[in-house]
Amino acid sequence: MLENSIAIGRAEKKWTQQDLADEIKVSRQTIISLEKNKYNPSLVLAFKIAKSLGKEITDVFQYKEDAE
């Protein structure tokens, strides 16, 4: 499972979901889905998000093993 801290990164920059969406040229709905972990980004999109937030990709996205 891929978890993320996009909302935290946005808050640090005082950005709305729309601000981030505009910055990386995706819809606000995409940001909403990502923040709710309902959608896993492509690797390119993940790098764009991290760069826009001024963070390393591993600071924004964390892979967690599913507990069985």
Side-chain angles (χ1 to χ4, degrees), residues 27-58:
S27 70
R28 180 173 163 265
Q29 187 60 43
T30 298
I31 302 302
I32 292 167
S33 295
L34 287 164
E35 288 184 356
K36 290 182 177 181
N37 292 313
K38 295 193 181 276
Y39 169 68
N40 287 326
S42 69
L43 191 53
V44 171
L45 181 57
F47 273 104
K48 284 181 180 180
I49 292 167
K51 183 177 178 183
S52 294
L53 296 175
K55 298 190 175 287
E56 295 293 323
I57 194 167
T58 54

Side-chain angles (χ1 to χ4, degrees), residues 6-23:
I6 296 171
I8 294 168
R10 283 192 309 98
E12 289 171 354
K13 292 185 79 83
K14 296 182 172 59
W15 281 1
T16 64
Q17 290 171 331
Q18 189 64 57
D19 291 334
L20 179 57
D22 291 344
E23 179 73 20

